[in-house]
């Protein structure tokens, strides 16, 4: 064995070690991290996040100001008097009022400096949080235009009539096509059978009595000075050049159709979406939306000077299944354009539960053009239970007019595009529609038609089953005219995309996916609904995906829920890059993004494809089935929650104000779910609250809550923008 050589020996051989203290390279050497013991505090403390840091600063400033106020009060008090009690800083009235530089004190924090705004497709409800009831304003604006809405498209009326052949008169039974006539006749026959089964008297010639009377009854003319209820129409200056550029609210609906200059009505919101059909640009759409709200604040709240709005906060009510761009554009408008000092958002169903005082309920909001359903539990909306279907009270009004025209309605020229006819149709629905079978018989009614520049006409007519069959469209929505509801969708405003992977990130729910599955979309759409959207956005809840398209009613699925075990609540995560797993031995292989067999699937492309498919499908489902779908997805197979939600169904909205509607809907749901017949209970808001104002009332309660951390101030919005919503919203953004 060779021993260690000495330094001299190495020197003789030229192997002596020399060290000049120079590094082998000029690049900095970074040592390896000790992976067993490393730690970081980045974004782990509240003081590192601007939103929470501003809240803490405001709390400290408030405590300092309260302490100074107490010391000042003690200094001015006499020595013989008792000392003033110390204020409870944690429960101070200004806890919610002074965040983000608001500086609201005393009575202001109780709502007198908070404006609550609830926009809808047909009406805008607005008021101070301290008000008992909101002000209701039509969500419409009239602008100078070449033609009014009834003169466009060669004056085509609404509802659409069949074209007349060779200038002849089309029979009333053929005005709306064979499909409508067949469905209307079928519904009428089924109603007669149901009434006979319930031992109700049905005259065999009821229809003939109605048709014969309506055919031969002319209107009665009443001169204007003899009409005590004549309408005050919006006056325009004699010089058309001096006419205002626009009118909003009730004044817009009272402009004569033959005015000079012409005005056209624009509705910025339709069916819960921005109305992209009637606008040429997104800028004009946003401008009309803001102008209507601005004019309502000035006229209804008497806040004429815009510079005073900086002293007010705003609670803005948004839909349960909202679109992100709608929320961000509203936030930009309220803080930048209107100049409010702070803004917060609340969802419609959550606001309804606040207004009614319920901690757990299933909220069914039937509006003018959309119906939303959501289960609320302990002050939070259950994300998987949210459903939004596109029909409402306006569809009932249009269908009621069509049914009466089918039975030779004496006012055969009614056109819902004309402003006075639109108001007449709403009046007829509110006065005569009912869902009580006991009231179904040949009835004689009358109404007055008041048009600008014309004498008042009094029409007398008879009805039979039209008054109940029109609102029954909620249960059989195919009777509604759904052909034009998707025209213009996504023409101006694109969907929201994730900042990192560019995938669509608008909220979605497994209950809404079940609605699309019931309609019967393409297989790719079903796969993307069940896995890409519901699992990622809603905590991994996996909705069952049938291999075969389901029929329109989900009765079989509801009955199976009672006895068939389902997967666990957590579910299994979907494999990356895969669609719906195929069963063993399936003959159809999985499709790729472009439909190629065996091609690899891109999750983001699948999400985009599913969103595009959804935009081409109108979500329509019978109301009773939709409610049971929302409850089943909200309860997640928990029998106790199922009974609680079924026993706490609260129906609100103007579309539900039909006599006997709640009893009728309750009976229909009990027929679908006989196992829960004893638990199903449908009620109205308590304390005789107006069903149309419950959501606004809940927004006013939310605006007066103490310790509300969801306020967004102008300072933090200027620094962080819409990213604040991830920290401020009380639900997952």
């Amino acid at each position: 064995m060779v021993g260690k050589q000495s330094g001299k020996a190495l020197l003789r051989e030229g192997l002596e070690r020399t060290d000049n203290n120079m590094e082998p390279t000029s690049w900095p050497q970074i040592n390896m991290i000790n992976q067993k013991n490393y730690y970081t505090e980045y974004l782990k403390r509240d003081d590192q996040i601007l939103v929470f840091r501003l809240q803490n600063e405001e709390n400290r400033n408030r405590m300092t100001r309260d302490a100074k106020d107490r010391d000042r009060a003690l200094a001015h008090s006499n020595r013989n008097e008792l000392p003033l009690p110390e204020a409870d800083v944690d429960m101070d009235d200004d806890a919610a009022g002074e965040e983000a530089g608001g500086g609201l004190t005393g009575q202001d924090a109780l709502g007198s400096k908070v404006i609550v705004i609830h926009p809808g497709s047909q009406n805008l409800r607005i008021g101070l949080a301290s008000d008992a009831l909101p002000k209701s304003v039509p969500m419409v604006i009239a602008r100078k235009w070449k033609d009014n809405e009834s003169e466009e498209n060669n004056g085509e009326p609404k509802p659409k009539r069949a074209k007349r052949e060779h200038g002849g008169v089309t029979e009333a039974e053929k005005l709306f096509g064979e499909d409508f006539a067949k469905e209307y006749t079928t519904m009428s026959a089924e109603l007669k059978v149901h009434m006979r089964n319930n031992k109700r008297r049905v005259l065999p010639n009821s229809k003939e009595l109605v048709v014969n009377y309506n055919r031969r009854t002319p209107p009665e003319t009443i001169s204007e000075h003899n009409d005590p209820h004549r309408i005050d129409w919006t006056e325009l200056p004699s010089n058309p050049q001096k006419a205002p550029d626009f009118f909003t609210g009730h004044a817009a609906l009272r402009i004569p159709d033959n005015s000079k200059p012409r005005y056209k009505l624009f509705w910025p919101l339709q069916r819960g979406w921005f109305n992209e059909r009637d606008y040429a640009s997104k800028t004009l759409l946003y401008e009309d939306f803001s102008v209507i709200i601005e004019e309502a604040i000035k006229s209804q709240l008497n806040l004429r000077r815009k510079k005073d709005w900086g002293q007010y906060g705003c609670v803005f009510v948004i839909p349960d299944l909202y679109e992100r761009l709608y929320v961000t554009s509203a936030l930009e408008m309220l803080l930048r354009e209107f100049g409010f000092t702070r803004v917060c958002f609340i969802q419609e169903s959550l606001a309804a539960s606040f207004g009614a005082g319920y901690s757990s309920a299933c909220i069914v909001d039937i509006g003018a053009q959309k119906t939303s359903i959501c289960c609320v539990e302990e002050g939070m909306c259950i994300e998987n239970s949210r459903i939004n279907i596109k029909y409402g009270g306006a569809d009932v009004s249009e269908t009621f007019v069509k049914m009466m025209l089918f039975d030779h309605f004496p006012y055969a020229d009614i056109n819902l595009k004309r402003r006075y006819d639109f108001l007449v149709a709403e009046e007829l629905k509110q006065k005569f529609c009912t869902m009580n079978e006991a009231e179904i018989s040949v009835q004689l009614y009358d109404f007055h038609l008041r048009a600008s520049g014309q004498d008042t006409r009094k029409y007398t007519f008879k009805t039979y089953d039209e008054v109940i069959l029109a609102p029954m469209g909620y249960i059989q929505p195919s009777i509604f005219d759904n052909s034009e509801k998707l025209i213009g969708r996504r023409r101006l405003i694109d969907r929201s995309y994730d900042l990192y992977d560019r995938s669509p990130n608008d909220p979605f729910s497994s209950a809404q996916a079940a609605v699309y599955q019931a309609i019967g979309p393409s297989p790719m759409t079903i796969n993307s609904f069940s896995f890409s959207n519901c699992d990622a956005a809603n905590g991994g809840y996996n909705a069952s995906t049938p291999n075969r398209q389901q029929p329109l009613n989900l009765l079989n699925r509801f009955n199976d829920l009672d006895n068939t075990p389902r997967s666990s609540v957590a579910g299994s995560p979907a494999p990356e890059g895969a669609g719906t797993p195929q069963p063993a031995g399936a003959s159809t292989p999985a499709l790729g993004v472009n439909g190629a067999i065996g091609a690899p699937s891109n999750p983001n492309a699948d999400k985009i494809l599913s969103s595009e498919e959804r935009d081409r499908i109108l979500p329509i489902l019978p109301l009773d089935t939709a409610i049971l779908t929302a409850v089943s997805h909200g309860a997640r197979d928990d029998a106790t929650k199922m009974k609680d939600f079924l026993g706490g169904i609260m129906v609100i909205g103007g579309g539900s104000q039909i006599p006997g509607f709640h009893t009728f809907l309750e009976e229909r749901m009990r027929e679908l779910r006989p196992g829960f017949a004893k638990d199903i209970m449908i009620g109205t808001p308590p304390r005789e609250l107006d069903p149309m104002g419950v959501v606004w009332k809940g927004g006013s309660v939310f605006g007066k809550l103490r310790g509300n951390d969801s306020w967004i101030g102008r300072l933090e919005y200027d620094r962080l923008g819409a990213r604040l919503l991830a920290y401020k919203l009380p639900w997952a953004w």
Side-chain angles (χ1 to χ4, degrees), residues 118-125 138-139 267-270 272 289 326 348 370:
H118 179 208
S121 299
Q122 186 164 310
N123 292 295
L124 167 70
R125 290 176 177 85
M139 192 72 183
W267 304 81
L269 291 181
Q270 292 281 275
F289 182 68
Y326 174 75
E348 288 178 341
K370 72 172 181 63

mmCIF file with all atom_site columns, all heavy atoms in Angstrom, residues 118-125 138-139 267-270 272 289 326 348 370:
data_model
loop_
_atom_site.group_PDB
_atom_site.id
_atom_site.type_symbol
_atom_site.label_atom_id
_atom_site.label_alt_id
_atom_site.label_comp_id
_atom_site.label_asym_id
_atom_site.label_entity_id
_atom_site.label_seq_id
_atom_site.pdbx_PDB_ins_code
_atom_site.Cartn_x
_atom_site.Cartn_y
_atom_site.Cartn_z
_atom_site.occupancy
_atom_site.B_iso_or_equiv
_atom_site.pdbx_formal_charge
_atom_site.auth_seq_id
_atom_site.auth_comp_id
_atom_site.auth_asym_id
_atom_site.auth_atom_id
_atom_site.pdbx_PDB_model_num
ATOM 1   N N   . HIS A 1 118 ? -81.627 47.977 -6.586  1.00 0.00 ? 118 HIS A N   1
ATOM 2   C CA  . HIS A 1 118 ? -81.939 46.624 -7.076  1.00 0.00 ? 118 HIS A CA  1
ATOM 3   C C   . HIS A 1 118 ? -82.472 46.738 -8.495  1.00 0.00 ? 118 HIS A C   1
ATOM 4   O O   . HIS A 1 118 ? -83.669 46.953 -8.717  1.00 0.00 ? 118 HIS A O   1
ATOM 5   C CB  . HIS A 1 118 ? -82.972 45.942 -6.174  1.00 0.00 ? 118 HIS A CB  1
ATOM 6   C CG  . HIS A 1 118 ? -83.351 44.577 -6.645  1.00 0.00 ? 118 HIS A CG  1
ATOM 7   N ND1 . HIS A 1 118 ? -84.588 44.013 -6.388  1.00 0.00 ? 118 HIS A ND1 1
ATOM 8   C CD2 . HIS A 1 118 ? -82.677 43.654 -7.377  1.00 0.00 ? 118 HIS A CD2 1
ATOM 9   C CE1 . HIS A 1 118 ? -84.650 42.805 -6.937  1.00 0.00 ? 118 HIS A CE1 1
ATOM 10  N NE2 . HIS A 1 118 ? -83.499 42.575 -7.545  1.00 0.00 ? 118 HIS A NE2 1
ATOM 11  N N   . PRO A 1 119 ? -81.615 46.611 -9.506  1.00 0.00 ? 119 PRO A N   1
ATOM 12  C CA  . PRO A 1 119 ? -82.087 46.688 -10.895 1.00 0.00 ? 119 PRO A CA  1
ATOM 13  C C   . PRO A 1 119 ? -82.695 45.372 -11.354 1.00 0.00 ? 119 PRO A C   1
ATOM 14  O O   . PRO A 1 119 ? -82.226 44.284 -11.006 1.00 0.00 ? 119 PRO A O   1
ATOM 15  C CB  . PRO A 1 119 ? -80.810 47.021 -11.683 1.00 0.00 ? 119 PRO A CB  1
ATOM 16  C CG  . PRO A 1 119 ? -79.703 46.473 -10.854 1.00 0.00 ? 119 PRO A CG  1
ATOM 17  C CD  . PRO A 1 119 ? -80.159 46.500 -9.426  1.00 0.00 ? 119 PRO A CD  1
ATOM 18  N N   . GLY A 1 120 ? -83.744 45.466 -12.145 1.00 0.00 ? 120 GLY A N   1
ATOM 19  C CA  . GLY A 1 120 ? -84.393 44.289 -12.716 1.00 0.00 ? 120 GLY A CA  1
ATOM 20  C C   . GLY A 1 120 ? -84.614 44.479 -14.201 1.00 0.00 ? 120 GLY A C   1
ATOM 21  O O   . GLY A 1 120 ? -84.339 45.537 -14.773 1.00 0.00 ? 120 GLY A O   1
ATOM 22  N N   . SER A 1 121 ? -85.136 43.433 -14.833 1.00 0.00 ? 121 SER A N   1
ATOM 23  C CA  . SER A 1 121 ? -85.363 43.504 -16.268 1.00 0.00 ? 121 SER A CA  1
ATOM 24  C C   . SER A 1 121 ? -86.466 44.484 -16.627 1.00 0.00 ? 121 SER A C   1
ATOM 25  O O   . SER A 1 121 ? -86.445 45.084 -17.703 1.00 0.00 ? 121 SER A O   1
ATOM 26  C CB  . SER A 1 121 ? -85.710 42.114 -16.806 1.00 0.00 ? 121 SER A CB  1
ATOM 27  O OG  . SER A 1 121 ? -84.657 41.206 -16.575 1.00 0.00 ? 121 SER A OG  1
ATOM 28  N N   . GLN A 1 122 ? -87.429 44.687 -15.742 1.00 0.00 ? 122 GLN A N   1
ATOM 29  C CA  . GLN A 1 122 ? -88.548 45.571 -16.046 1.00 0.00 ? 122 GLN A CA  1
ATOM 30  C C   . GLN A 1 122 ? -88.635 46.743 -15.093 1.00 0.00 ? 122 GLN A C   1
ATOM 31  O O   . GLN A 1 122 ? -89.059 47.830 -15.491 1.00 0.00 ? 122 GLN A O   1
ATOM 32  C CB  . GLN A 1 122 ? -89.858 44.776 -16.016 1.00 0.00 ? 122 GLN A CB  1
ATOM 33  C CG  . GLN A 1 122 ? -91.087 45.572 -16.468 1.00 0.00 ? 122 GLN A CG  1
ATOM 34  C CD  . GLN A 1 122 ? -92.258 44.672 -16.792 1.00 0.00 ? 122 GLN A CD  1
ATOM 35  O OE1 . GLN A 1 122 ? -92.125 43.703 -17.538 1.00 0.00 ? 122 GLN A OE1 1
ATOM 36  N NE2 . GLN A 1 122 ? -93.415 44.966 -16.229 1.00 0.00 ? 122 GLN A NE2 1
ATOM 37  N N   . ASN A 1 123 ? -88.234 46.571 -13.841 1.00 0.00 ? 123 ASN A N   1
ATOM 38  C CA  . ASN A 1 123 ? -88.361 47.640 -12.854 1.00 0.00 ? 123 ASN A CA  1
ATOM 39  C C   . ASN A 1 123 ? -87.069 47.791 -12.073 1.00 0.00 ? 123 ASN A C   1
ATOM 40  O O   . ASN A 1 123 ? -86.359 46.811 -11.818 1.00 0.00 ? 123 ASN A O   1
ATOM 41  C CB  . ASN A 1 123 ? -89.519 47.358 -11.883 1.00 0.00 ? 123 ASN A CB  1
ATOM 42  C CG  . ASN A 1 123 ? -90.880 47.445 -12.557 1.00 0.00 ? 123 ASN A CG  1
ATOM 43  O OD1 . ASN A 1 123 ? -91.300 48.489 -13.013 1.00 0.00 ? 123 ASN A OD1 1
ATOM 44  N ND2 . ASN A 1 123 ? -91.569 46.320 -12.630 1.00 0.00 ? 123 ASN A ND2 1
ATOM 45  N N   . LEU A 1 124 ? -86.791 49.023 -11.689 1.00 0.00 ? 124 LEU A N   1
ATOM 46  C CA  . LEU A 1 124 ? -85.674 49.360 -10.814 1.00 0.00 ? 124 LEU A CA  1
ATOM 47  C C   . LEU A 1 124 ? -86.237 49.791 -9.472  1.00 0.00 ? 124 LEU A C   1
ATOM 48  O O   . LEU A 1 124 ? -87.101 50.682 -9.416  1.00 0.00 ? 124 LEU A O   1
ATOM 49  C CB  . LEU A 1 124 ? -84.846 50.488 -11.435 1.00 0.00 ? 124 LEU A CB  1
ATOM 50  C CG  . LEU A 1 124 ? -83.819 51.166 -10.523 1.00 0.00 ? 124 LEU A CG  1
ATOM 51  C CD1 . LEU A 1 124 ? -82.667 50.217 -10.217 1.00 0.00 ? 124 LEU A CD1 1
ATOM 52  C CD2 . LEU A 1 124 ? -83.287 52.451 -11.152 1.00 0.00 ? 124 LEU A CD2 1
ATOM 53  N N   . ARG A 1 125 ? -85.759 49.161 -8.410  1.00 0.00 ? 125 ARG A N   1
ATOM 54  C CA  . ARG A 1 125 ? -86.192 49.530 -7.063  1.00 0.00 ? 125 ARG A CA  1
ATOM 55  C C   . ARG A 1 125 ? -85.025 50.184 -6.345  1.00 0.00 ? 125 ARG A C   1
ATOM 56  O O   . ARG A 1 125 ? -83.938 49.608 -6.260  1.00 0.00 ? 125 ARG A O   1
ATOM 57  C CB  . ARG A 1 125 ? -86.707 48.304 -6.311  1.00 0.00 ? 125 ARG A CB  1
ATOM 58  C CG  . ARG A 1 125 ? -88.023 47.827 -6.897  1.00 0.00 ? 125 ARG A CG  1
ATOM 59  C CD  . ARG A 1 125 ? -88.573 46.572 -6.288  1.00 0.00 ? 125 ARG A CD  1
ATOM 60  N NE  . ARG A 1 125 ? -89.862 46.257 -6.896  1.00 0.00 ? 125 ARG A NE  1
ATOM 61  C CZ  . ARG A 1 125 ? -90.009 45.587 -8.031  1.00 0.00 ? 125 ARG A CZ  1
ATOM 62  N NH1 . ARG A 1 125 ? -88.945 45.133 -8.668  1.00 0.00 ? 125 ARG A NH1 1
ATOM 63  N NH2 . ARG A 1 125 ? -91.205 45.384 -8.544  1.00 0.00 ? 125 ARG A NH2 1
ATOM 64  N N   . PRO A 1 138 ? -89.706 52.110 -13.778 1.00 0.00 ? 138 PRO A N   1
ATOM 65  C CA  . PRO A 1 138 ? -89.465 51.236 -14.940 1.00 0.00 ? 138 PRO A CA  1
ATOM 66  C C   . PRO A 1 138 ? -88.025 51.358 -15.425 1.00 0.00 ? 138 PRO A C   1
ATOM 67  O O   . PRO A 1 138 ? -87.490 52.456 -15.561 1.00 0.00 ? 138 PRO A O   1
ATOM 68  C CB  . PRO A 1 138 ? -90.464 51.747 -15.983 1.00 0.00 ? 138 PRO A CB  1
ATOM 69  C CG  . PRO A 1 138 ? -91.547 52.397 -15.185 1.00 0.00 ? 138 PRO A CG  1
ATOM 70  C CD  . PRO A 1 138 ? -90.874 52.993 -13.984 1.00 0.00 ? 138 PRO A CD  1
ATOM 71  N N   . MET A 1 139 ? -87.391 50.226 -15.679 1.00 0.00 ? 139 MET A N   1
ATOM 72  C CA  . MET A 1 139 ? -85.987 50.183 -16.105 1.00 0.00 ? 139 MET A CA  1
ATOM 73  C C   . MET A 1 139 ? -85.919 50.412 -17.614 1.00 0.00 ? 139 MET A C   1
ATOM 74  O O   . MET A 1 139 ? -85.537 49.532 -18.396 1.00 0.00 ? 139 MET A O   1
ATOM 75  C CB  . MET A 1 139 ? -85.387 48.827 -15.723 1.00 0.00 ? 139 MET A CB  1
ATOM 76  C CG  . MET A 1 139 ? -83.874 48.749 -15.848 1.00 0.00 ? 139 MET A CG  1
ATOM 77  S SD  . MET A 1 139 ? -83.050 49.680 -14.574 1.00 0.00 ? 139 MET A SD  1
ATOM 78  C CE  . MET A 1 139 ? -81.336 49.461 -15.078 1.00 0.00 ? 139 MET A CE  1
ATOM 79  N N   . TRP A 1 267 ? -84.485 48.976 -23.239 1.00 0.00 ? 267 TRP A N   1
ATOM 80  C CA  . TRP A 1 267 ? -84.435 48.289 -21.946 1.00 0.00 ? 267 TRP A CA  1
ATOM 81  C C   . TRP A 1 267 ? -83.029 47.703 -21.794 1.00 0.00 ? 267 TRP A C   1
ATOM 82  O O   . TRP A 1 267 ? -82.709 46.694 -22.411 1.00 0.00 ? 267 TRP A O   1
ATOM 83  C CB  . TRP A 1 267 ? -85.486 47.181 -21.877 1.00 0.00 ? 267 TRP A CB  1
ATOM 84  C CG  . TRP A 1 267 ? -86.878 47.635 -22.145 1.00 0.00 ? 267 TRP A CG  1
ATOM 85  C CD1 . TRP A 1 267 ? -87.462 47.855 -23.356 1.00 0.00 ? 267 TRP A CD1 1
ATOM 86  C CD2 . TRP A 1 267 ? -87.888 47.956 -21.172 1.00 0.00 ? 267 TRP A CD2 1
ATOM 87  N NE1 . TRP A 1 267 ? -88.759 48.275 -23.211 1.00 0.00 ? 267 TRP A NE1 1
ATOM 88  C CE2 . TRP A 1 267 ? -89.052 48.348 -21.881 1.00 0.00 ? 267 TRP A CE2 1
ATOM 89  C CE3 . TRP A 1 267 ? -87.924 47.938 -19.774 1.00 0.00 ? 267 TRP A CE3 1
ATOM 90  C CZ2 . TRP A 1 267 ? -90.226 48.728 -21.236 1.00 0.00 ? 267 TRP A CZ2 1
ATOM 91  C CZ3 . TRP A 1 267 ? -89.092 48.306 -19.136 1.00 0.00 ? 267 TRP A CZ3 1
ATOM 92  C CH2 . TRP A 1 267 ? -90.222 48.696 -19.852 1.00 0.00 ? 267 TRP A CH2 1
ATOM 93  N N   . PRO A 1 268 ? -82.158 48.299 -20.995 1.00 0.00 ? 268 PRO A N   1
ATOM 94  C CA  . PRO A 1 268 ? -80.756 47.814 -20.908 1.00 0.00 ? 268 PRO A CA  1
ATOM 95  C C   . PRO A 1 268 ? -80.633 46.394 -20.379 1.00 0.00 ? 268 PRO A C   1
ATOM 96  O O   . PRO A 1 268 ? -79.675 45.697 -20.731 1.00 0.00 ? 268 PRO A O   1
ATOM 97  C CB  . PRO A 1 268 ? -80.092 48.826 -19.960 1.00 0.00 ? 268 PRO A CB  1
ATOM 98  C CG  . PRO A 1 268 ? -80.975 50.020 -19.989 1.00 0.00 ? 268 PRO A CG  1
ATOM 99  C CD  . PRO A 1 268 ? -82.359 49.519 -20.203 1.00 0.00 ? 268 PRO A CD  1
ATOM 100 N N   . LEU A 1 269 ? -81.554 45.964 -19.537 1.00 0.00 ? 269 LEU A N   1
ATOM 101 C CA  . LEU A 1 269 ? -81.514 44.610 -18.992 1.00 0.00 ? 269 LEU A CA  1
ATOM 102 C C   . LEU A 1 269 ? -82.687 43.816 -19.542 1.00 0.00 ? 269 LEU A C   1
ATOM 103 O O   . LEU A 1 269 ? -83.836 44.292 -19.524 1.00 0.00 ? 269 LEU A O   1
ATOM 104 C CB  . LEU A 1 269 ? -81.577 44.625 -17.455 1.00 0.00 ? 269 LEU A CB  1
ATOM 105 C CG  . LEU A 1 269 ? -80.365 45.180 -16.713 1.00 0.00 ? 269 LEU A CG  1
ATOM 106 C CD1 . LEU A 1 269 ? -80.588 45.099 -15.210 1.00 0.00 ? 269 LEU A CD1 1
ATOM 107 C CD2 . LEU A 1 269 ? -79.102 44.437 -17.083 1.00 0.00 ? 269 LEU A CD2 1
ATOM 108 N N   . GLN A 1 270 ? -82.406 42.623 -20.034 1.00 0.00 ? 270 GLN A N   1
ATOM 109 C CA  . GLN A 1 270 ? -83.440 41.728 -20.533 1.00 0.00 ? 270 GLN A CA  1
ATOM 110 C C   . GLN A 1 270 ? -83.114 40.308 -20.072 1.00 0.00 ? 270 GLN A C   1
ATOM 111 O O   . GLN A 1 270 ? -81.995 39.823 -20.288 1.00 0.00 ? 270 GLN A O   1
ATOM 112 C CB  . GLN A 1 270 ? -83.519 41.761 -22.063 1.00 0.00 ? 270 GLN A CB  1
ATOM 113 C CG  . GLN A 1 270 ? -84.020 43.095 -22.628 1.00 0.00 ? 270 GLN A CG  1
ATOM 114 C CD  . GLN A 1 270 ? -85.527 43.242 -22.533 1.00 0.00 ? 270 GLN A CD  1
ATOM 115 O OE1 . GLN A 1 270 ? -86.278 42.792 -23.389 1.00 0.00 ? 270 GLN A OE1 1
ATOM 116 N NE2 . GLN A 1 270 ? -85.983 43.871 -21.469 1.00 0.00 ? 270 GLN A NE2 1
ATOM 117 N N   . GLY A 1 272 ? -82.417 39.199 -17.234 1.00 0.00 ? 272 GLY A N   1
ATOM 118 C CA  . GLY A 1 272 ? -81.308 39.142 -16.294 1.00 0.00 ? 272 GLY A CA  1
ATOM 119 C C   . GLY A 1 272 ? -79.948 39.364 -16.918 1.00 0.00 ? 272 GLY A C   1
ATOM 120 O O   . GLY A 1 272 ? -78.937 39.356 -16.213 1.00 0.00 ? 272 GLY A O   1
ATOM 121 N N   . PHE A 1 289 ? -77.661 52.194 -19.067 1.00 0.00 ? 289 PHE A N   1
ATOM 122 C CA  . PHE A 1 289 ? -77.803 51.552 -17.754 1.00 0.00 ? 289 PHE A CA  1
ATOM 123 C C   . PHE A 1 289 ? -77.487 52.540 -16.638 1.00 0.00 ? 289 PHE A C   1
ATOM 124 O O   . PHE A 1 289 ? -78.212 52.619 -15.633 1.00 0.00 ? 289 PHE A O   1
ATOM 125 C CB  . PHE A 1 289 ? -76.869 50.343 -17.697 1.00 0.00 ? 289 PHE A CB  1
ATOM 126 C CG  . PHE A 1 289 ? -76.954 49.553 -16.417 1.00 0.00 ? 289 PHE A CG  1
ATOM 127 C CD1 . PHE A 1 289 ? -78.083 48.822 -16.100 1.00 0.00 ? 289 PHE A CD1 1
ATOM 128 C CD2 . PHE A 1 289 ? -75.893 49.548 -15.516 1.00 0.00 ? 289 PHE A CD2 1
ATOM 129 C CE1 . PHE A 1 289 ? -78.163 48.099 -14.921 1.00 0.00 ? 289 PHE A CE1 1
ATOM 130 C CE2 . PHE A 1 289 ? -75.966 48.829 -14.344 1.00 0.00 ? 289 PHE A CE2 1
ATOM 131 C CZ  . PHE A 1 289 ? -77.096 48.096 -14.041 1.00 0.00 ? 289 PHE A CZ  1
ATOM 132 N N   . TYR A 1 326 ? -70.623 41.905 -15.368 1.00 0.00 ? 326 TYR A N   1
ATOM 133 C CA  . TYR A 1 326 ? -71.731 42.732 -14.876 1.00 0.00 ? 326 TYR A CA  1
ATOM 134 C C   . TYR A 1 326 ? -71.384 43.338 -13.521 1.00 0.00 ? 326 TYR A C   1
ATOM 135 O O   . TYR A 1 326 ? -71.629 44.525 -13.263 1.00 0.00 ? 326 TYR A O   1
ATOM 136 C CB  . TYR A 1 326 ? -72.989 41.871 -14.777 1.00 0.00 ? 326 TYR A CB  1
ATOM 137 C CG  . TYR A 1 326 ? -74.184 42.555 -14.147 1.00 0.00 ? 326 TYR A CG  1
ATOM 138 C CD1 . TYR A 1 326 ? -74.912 43.505 -14.849 1.00 0.00 ? 326 TYR A CD1 1
ATOM 139 C CD2 . TYR A 1 326 ? -74.587 42.249 -12.853 1.00 0.00 ? 326 TYR A CD2 1
ATOM 140 C CE1 . TYR A 1 326 ? -76.010 44.131 -14.278 1.00 0.00 ? 326 TYR A CE1 1
ATOM 141 C CE2 . TYR A 1 326 ? -75.676 42.861 -12.276 1.00 0.00 ? 326 TYR A CE2 1
ATOM 142 C CZ  . TYR A 1 326 ? -76.386 43.800 -12.987 1.00 0.00 ? 326 TYR A CZ  1
ATOM 143 O OH  . TYR A 1 326 ? -77.467 44.432 -12.413 1.00 0.00 ? 326 TYR A OH  1
ATOM 144 N N   . GLU A 1 348 ? -79.349 38.208 -4.692  1.00 0.00 ? 348 GLU A N   1
ATOM 145 C CA  . GLU A 1 348 ? -80.794 38.399 -4.559  1.00 0.00 ? 348 GLU A CA  1
ATOM 146 C C   . GLU A 1 348 ? -81.405 37.450 -3.529  1.00 0.00 ? 348 GLU A C   1
ATOM 147 O O   . GLU A 1 348 ? -82.197 37.880 -2.682  1.00 0.00 ? 348 GLU A O   1
ATOM 148 C CB  . GLU A 1 348 ? -81.461 38.199 -5.921  1.00 0.00 ? 348 GLU A CB  1
ATOM 149 C CG  . GLU A 1 348 ? -81.208 39.307 -6.903  1.00 0.00 ? 348 GLU A CG  1
ATOM 150 C CD  . GLU A 1 348 ? -81.826 39.061 -8.261  1.00 0.00 ? 348 GLU A CD  1
ATOM 151 O OE1 . GLU A 1 348 ? -82.150 37.895 -8.556  1.00 0.00 ? 348 GLU A OE1 1
ATOM 152 O OE2 . GLU A 1 348 ? -81.988 40.022 -9.028  1.00 0.00 ? 348 GLU A OE2 1
ATOM 153 N N   . LYS A 1 370 ? -87.293 36.587 -15.874 1.00 0.00 ? 370 LYS A N   1
ATOM 154 C CA  . LYS A 1 370 ? -86.479 35.460 -15.429 1.00 0.00 ? 370 LYS A CA  1
ATOM 155 C C   . LYS A 1 370 ? -86.974 34.985 -14.078 1.00 0.00 ? 370 LYS A C   1
ATOM 156 O O   . LYS A 1 370 ? -87.641 35.730 -13.336 1.00 0.00 ? 370 LYS A O   1
ATOM 157 C CB  . LYS A 1 370 ? -84.995 35.844 -15.327 1.00 0.00 ? 370 LYS A CB  1
ATOM 158 C CG  . LYS A 1 370 ? -84.653 36.760 -14.170 1.00 0.00 ? 370 LYS A CG  1
ATOM 159 C CD  . LYS A 1 370 ? -83.166 36.951 -14.018 1.00 0.00 ? 370 LYS A CD  1
ATOM 160 C CE  . LYS A 1 370 ? -82.834 37.860 -12.846 1.00 0.00 ? 370 LYS A CE  1
ATOM 161 N NZ  . LYS A 1 370 ? -83.261 37.322 -11.547 1.00 0.00 ? 370 LYS A NZ  1
#
